[in-house]
Amino acid sequence: MLSQFSAIEGRSFGYWKLVIFLGVLALMGLGAFVAVEINGHGITGMNNKIAWGIPHVFAISLLVMASGALNVGSMSTVFAVKQFKQFGRFSAFLAIALLIGGLAVLMLDLGRPDRLLLTVMHMNFRSMFTLNVFLYSGFILLCFLYLWSMFEYQQFTKVIGSAAFLWRVILTTGTGSIFGVIHAREVFHSAITAPTFVAISLSSGTAISILLLVTTFKRTNRVLEDKVVFGLRNAFIFFTFLVAYLLVVEKFTRYYSPAFYDVQSWILTGPYAWLYLFGVWGATIIIPLAVLFNPKFGNSIGGVMVASFSSIIGTFAFVAHLLLAGQSYPLKMFPGYEVSSAFLDGQVATYTPALIEFVLGFGGIGIAGVIYLLGIKFFRMIPNEAVAPEGYELPWNP
Amino acid sequence: MRSLPSYPARFPLLLVLVWAIFVLPSVVLASGTPDHDASANSHPSYAGGPPQLEKAKGESCIRETEWMRRNHMDFLKHRRAETVRQGVRIRSESLLKCAECHQSHEKFCDQCHGYVSASPDCFECHVYPK
Amino acid sequence: MTMDRRTVLGLGGVAAAGVALAPGLTLIAAPPPDKSEASGDQRWAMLIDVTKCESNCTACTRACRQENNVPLFGDPTRDIHWIRKLEIRDKDHRRPSVSLPVLCNHCENPPCAHVCPTEATFIRKDGIVLVDKHRCIGCRYCMLACPYKARSLVYHKTEFPEGGNPNVPIRAKGVVEKCTFCVHLVDDGKQPACVQACGHAGHKAMIFGDLNDPKSEIAMRIREVKTQTIREDLGLKPHVHYQGL
């Protein structure tokens, strides 16, 4: 078993260039955090209507992808898909890296990050945030144990892997419920918000695994059999359909009820319509499916990469749409009335993100990236060669 | 395939990385941001011993001076939680009453806080009447 | 014998602890005569008679800013509003517009307190919903949860205003704040600043009092006239009632 995996060499100029690039991103993120801490949130673009802005888009997208990154491992451990077993270590480790990156952004954007310890000293168990504190820390712990068992104690892998799979479903439900349970906001108050988060974490997690696996194998000159990638591709197509299904059901249910005509038409025609149509539908669903169902592109690694990349962009768009459109749509305090005030009641909120918010957000990506790159250099995460089992045929090809 | 260094040799590096990610921000936080005028707190030299505090105006403090010297911070914090969360108000012992005897924040509070380099942020929001 | 020795040691420990704690005990020894505490016997509430509220009058909002040192930053998207005047009009413009103040509704089931991870937002025993600004971590989840937009994050550093009210602290940047029902006045048996100002302006559109006291004006009015709360459908049971909406 030991001989199957090896750490990457990581001595090349390209490798260190990448590490330094991501490290600089991470440091710039920390710099942005310090700047916001000193000057207050006045230097961001956020305001009293859009209280959660671009940093949260990055943070929540990373958290969603983190739980999704565990897919590849779960597929082998829980659902016994043999050819993915070799990616188990990669998958659990990537999940930890992305989760730390996302959590860092979430914490560094607090108004009073110096009081972070209060979240563990005074807990309000009715708050989704408090529950998420347990879900995130538990997830990191389970992923770590899962990783450990895959390295040393394989007899426990099945048990821990199953627990981690169960936990990641609850975790993503918890992340989605941060929004789903808020009754005041028409755009995202829905029982289906959390399941949609689970689905989109499945698709985006698989997408980022495909991207990183192909890139890592290519850059380290290791063999990654196309058939294995196409296996992931098929799973990815299935997950994308799942996302599309949930999005359609949500829209259908809302549009059936006249009470939601206003908000739903606003989503499709309002200032964030482009994000919904091109981001959520275009990048998450239409582009990946169009590419992957094309016999030429769908059967090429390049095509699969494009589809995966598009899906990741789409995940950011999904979270951004949910957050920004959800907060800008005016609160319906007096249904059926026009409202106006000095506090901009009854108006769609405007929000121009500041550069510093993006810097903070990319800082999270930098942190996750550096952890991943150093992890595969110092631990035996990546198999020497990834091939499908003897006689394995893909059940479907475009 | 090349030979692999054992885990222990590589593990510290990862530890350092994780340490850097979590500890560096907290160092930045702990060092704090000097929001108010730092010169009020800093004293040029303490060669002549501890600073002399301004004499209080009234006859006696609400607690013994010795006890207050040691415990005023916990006392204030305890009261703070009670007042905010349970609405406990003792008019004769409110924070604003301190200023009736200890009339100058600069000549009383800041002197000692500067000496022991304590920088409470109470009065960034609360008013200490002059 | 060993047991005895242990007992002796234990007694010594207790005595030492007693000596150490004794000074602290003065804290609870004798409650001062001027002490008061929020009590569950009371349930503070407000009634706003919309028919008496005048459209161009801002007495309540100005009084609130004065009393609570609430600053204006000059940026309408980030200004802090504890109370604001709303103009509402039916969409077909068939009826004249109605003017009314909106403030924190001090709900019995406050979503802001439900979502607060550190219990910085809490309900006092007498029903007032407060933000403990010493405990707020600035996560802004409450701002998403509040259906009344009653909350503001402090985006900029604020200064104590000229001629400000020393009884109310100003705010640190990075925490969320909102209307307190002028809790410092209520605890002294006074009326909130907006209610006082509305009376002084001669409108008397706002009354404030204890719902649990059947003889209070607010309890009687709520029994006698038809009142509403904003977004009753959410089940939050707000304590700001409106008459003539």
Side-chain angles (χ1 to χ4, degrees):
Chain A
M1 195 67 197
L2 271 183
S3 59
Q4 274 189 26
F5 292 86
S6 68
I8 67 160
E9 213 157 307
R11 288 200 207 113
S12 68
F13 181 56
Y15 173 82
W16 285 112
K17 218 161 57 178
L18 208 54
V19 171
I20 288 167
F21 171 69
L22 290 166
V24 168
L25 272 190
L27 285 178
M28 278 168 64
L30 288 181
F33 152 69
V34 173
V36 172
E37 166 73 352
I38 290 174
N39 298 308
H41 275 70
I43 60 167
T44 67
M46 288 177 258
N47 54 51
N48 278 330
K49 276 190 161 183
I50 309 288
W52 283 3
I54 292 296
H56 298 80
V57 173
F58 276 83
I60 291 164
S61 306
L62 283 173
L63 294 175
V64 163
M65 278 191 264
S67 66
L70 200 67
N71 275 349
V72 185
S74 302
M75 279 193 259
S76 74
T77 310
V78 186
F79 300 103
V81 184
K82 278 202 194 81
Q83 74 266 32
F84 295 148
K85 192 179 177 192
Q86 48 204 350
F87 301 138
R89 298 175 176 190
F90 158 85
S91 156
F93 183 69
L94 181 62
I96 296 177
L98 289 172
L99 198 82
I100 290 178
L103 272 184
V105 179
L106 207 58
M107 287 171 190
L108 295 183
D109 183 68
L110 291 178
R112 307 286 304 190
D114 47 328
R115 295 182 182 160
L116 194 60
L117 269 184
L118 287 176
T119 49
V120 285
M121 283 161 66
H122 304 281
M123 289 188 163
N124 172 17
F125 286 100
R126 196 164 173 175
S127 169
M128 282 319 299
F129 263 12
T130 306
L131 297 180
N132 279 335
V133 168
F134 286 98
L135 291 175
Y136 295 142
S137 50
F139 183 73
I140 291 185
L141 184 73
L142 275 175
C143 282
F144 176 75
L145 290 177
Y146 184 34
L147 203 53
W148 195 11
S149 75
M150 282 186 283
F151 271 99
E152 304 275 348
Y153 304 98
Q154 307 212 352
Q155 64 271 38
F156 299 132
T157 304
K158 183 100 188 165
V159 176
I160 301 174
S162 306
F165 171 70
L166 194 67
W167 197 270
R168 57 91 64 226
V169 174
I170 300 172
L171 172 105
T172 321
T173 309
T175 311
S177 296
I178 291 177
F179 304 101
V181 298
I182 301 299
H183 200 154
R185 305 284 176 172
E186 285 175 83
V187 174
F188 51 65
H189 175 252
S190 162
I192 217 167
T193 304
T196 313
F197 265 74
V198 175
I200 208 148
S201 93
L202 290 170
S203 72
S204 64
T206 312
I208 196 161
S209 301
I210 293 175
L211 274 186
L212 284 178
L213 279 175
V214 173
T215 321
T216 310
F217 274 78
K218 198 167 184 180
R219 297 294 288 266
T220 51
N221 293 322
R222 299 184 189 206
V223 177
L224 177 62
E225 203 182 347
D226 286 358
K227 241 194 271 178
V228 181
V229 180
F230 292 145
L232 278 174
R233 173 203 65 196
N234 288 0
F236 172 63
I237 290 176
F238 173 76
F239 295 142
T240 302
F241 272 120
L242 193 61
V243 176
Y245 166 72
L246 287 169
L247 287 175
V248 167
V249 170
E250 195 252 3
K251 275 289 159 285
F252 171 74
T253 313
R254 294 285 178 99
Y255 253 117
Y256 204 84
S257 157
F260 291 111
Y261 283 176
D262 277 353
V263 55
Q264 292 309 317
S265 327
W266 180 81
I267 287 178
L268 294 180
T269 57
Y272 289 102
W274 61 275
L275 199 55
Y276 185 73
L277 297 174
F278 298 108
V280 179
W281 277 98
T284 324
I285 314 284
I286 296 168
I287 295 179
L289 290 185
V291 170
L292 296 182
F293 274 93
N294 180 308
K296 184 165 164 238
F297 300 124
N299 282 319
S300 77
I301 296 295
V304 177
M305 297 272 278
V306 168
S308 304
F309 187 72
S310 171
S311 176
I312 288 167
I313 298 295
T315 303
F316 278 88
F318 170 77
V319 177
H321 174 262
L322 197 84
L323 261 176
L324 303 182
Q327 291 177 91
S328 1
Y329 189 70
L331 290 167
K332 211 175 6 173
M333 267 196 283
F334 300 96
Y337 285 86
E338 281 175 2
V339 185
S340 65
S341 80
F343 202 16
L344 311 172
D345 284 278
Q347 295 176 30
V348 173
T350 52
Y351 169 61
T352 318
L355 182 65
I356 198 151
E357 296 174 56
F358 284 100
V359 175
L360 185 59
F362 277 108
I365 295 183
I367 291 174
V370 169
I371 295 177
Y372 172 74
L373 282 178
L374 293 185
I376 56 171
K377 178 177 165 68
F378 291 111
F379 294 97
R380 283 174 288 215
M381 297 287 178
I382 310 287
N384 296 326
E385 55 168 6
V387 289
E390 201 81 17
Y392 173 76
E393 281 305 321
L394 275 173
W396 178 85
N397 274 315
Chain B
M1 205 184 84
R2 66 200 184 81
S3 68
L4 297 158
S6 61
Y7 292 125
R10 295 163 160 211
F11 197 61
L13 268 156
L14 205 73
L15 273 184
V16 167
L17 180 78
V18 172
W19 178 86
I21 285 169
F22 285 100
V23 175
L24 285 183
S26 34
V27 169
V28 172
L29 283 176
S31 61
T33 54
D35 259 347
H36 52 280
D37 189 10
S39 62
N41 267 340
S42 66
H43 199 277
S45 153
Y46 293 114
Q52 291 301 307
L53 305 186
E54 188 190 45
K55 267 260 175 286
K57 217 181 163 203
E59 284 186 2
S60 65
C61 198
I62 54 166
R63 299 284 178 277
E64 275 179 39
T65 308
E66 280 306 312
W67 187 89
M68 269 315 232
R69 214 168 266 169
R70 255 171 217 286
N71 298 312
H72 68 279
M73 58 301 266
D74 297 329
F75 180 65
L76 286 172
K77 207 168 181 180
H78 178 74
R79 278 290 158 79
R80 171 187 104 180
E82 276 191 346
T83 305
V84 175
R85 303 188 78 88
Q86 277 119 52
V88 175
R89 289 182 196 272
I90 304 172
R91 274 82 190 168
S92 57
E93 296 182 357
S94 82
L95 186 59
L96 289 171
K97 286 272 190 234
C98 295
E100 287 187 1
C101 299
H102 307 291
Q103 283 184 316
S104 168
H105 195 269
E106 259 169 54
K107 289 180 190 153
F108 185 73
C109 316
D110 290 346
Q111 288 298 315
C112 199
H113 288 161
Y115 183 62
V116 300
S117 62
S119 46
D121 55 1
C122 311
F123 296 102
E124 279 173 28
C125 298
H126 287 267
V127 182
Y128 201 88
K130 288 273 150 57
Chain C
M1 201 55 203
T2 331
M3 286 301 286
D4 284 350
R5 198 177 293 153
R6 267 193 197 157
T7 317
V8 171
L9 279 175
L11 282 174
V14 169
V19 171
L21 287 175
L25 290 179
T26 52
L27 278 180
I28 45 170
D34 56 350
K35 178 179 168 174
S36 71
E37 191 173 346
S39 141
D41 298 338
Q42 281 147 339
R43 195 41 84 165
W44 299 115
M46 193 180 274
L47 175 65
I48 297 170
D49 187 346
V50 176
T51 55
K52 288 183 187 162
C53 181
E54 223 168 78
S55 148
N56 49 9
C57 172
T58 52
C60 52
T61 59
R62 274 182 291 125
C64 176
R65 283 190 191 281
Q66 178 67 33
E67 176 68 28
N68 296 302
N69 306 320
V70 181
L72 276 172
F73 299 123
D75 172 359
T77 62
R78 286 177 181 165
D79 278 336
I80 300 169
H81 293 262
W82 285 18
I83 179 170
R84 60 191 196 272
K85 284 292 294 287
L86 243 62
E87 293 280 328
I88 62 170
R89 192 163 195 197
D90 60 306
K91 280 183 179 156
D92 305 327
H93 295 261
R94 286 198 191 119
R95 278 161 287 171
S97 74
V98 177
S99 177
L100 72 164
V102 171
L103 61 160
C104 170
N105 277 256
H106 295 274
C107 313
E108 202 168 311
N109 298 317
C112 53
H114 293 167
V115 303
C116 179
T118 58
E119 289 184 324
T121 298
F122 62 99
I123 323 178
R124 233 166 65 139
K125 276 188 196 152
D126 53 6
I128 300 183
V129 178
L130 289 177
V131 184
D132 185 345
K133 279 179 238 171
H134 308 105
R135 201 186 274 187
C136 173
I137 58 169
C139 72
R140 285 107 81 198
Y141 195 10
C142 52
M143 296 173 73
L144 264 74
C146 176
Y148 306 109
K149 208 152 77 71
R151 297 177 154 255
S152 315
L153 178 76
V154 183
Y155 278 91
H156 303 281
K157 187 174 177 335
T158 54
E159 302 284 349
F160 190 70
E162 196 73 34
N165 175 11
N167 288 310
V168 180
I170 57 166
R171 65 275 304 142
K173 63 182 182 324
V175 297
V176 174
E177 64 170 34
K178 65 168 195 71
C179 159
T180 63
F181 259 177
C182 283
V183 68
H184 58 289
L185 295 177
V186 173
D187 281 350
D188 278 345
K190 294 181 197 147
Q191 298 268 302
C194 51
V195 178
Q196 287 183 33
C198 192
H200 289 318
H203 301 307
K204 296 201 173 66
M206 306 167 91
I207 58 171
F208 179 86
D210 177 10
L211 276 187
N212 283 0
D213 173 9
K215 287 198 217 64
S216 70
E217 193 191 349
I218 188 164
M220 290 198 285
R221 283 270 285 278
I222 282 180
R223 272 201 308 272
E224 284 158 14
V225 295
K226 182 176 169 290
T227 60
Q228 277 173 281
T229 54
I230 309 179
R231 291 300 305 264
E232 251 155 310
D233 58 320
L234 297 180
L236 309 175
K237 299 190 183 155
H239 280 118
V240 176
H241 300 259
Y242 288 86
Q243 179 184 341
L245 203 61

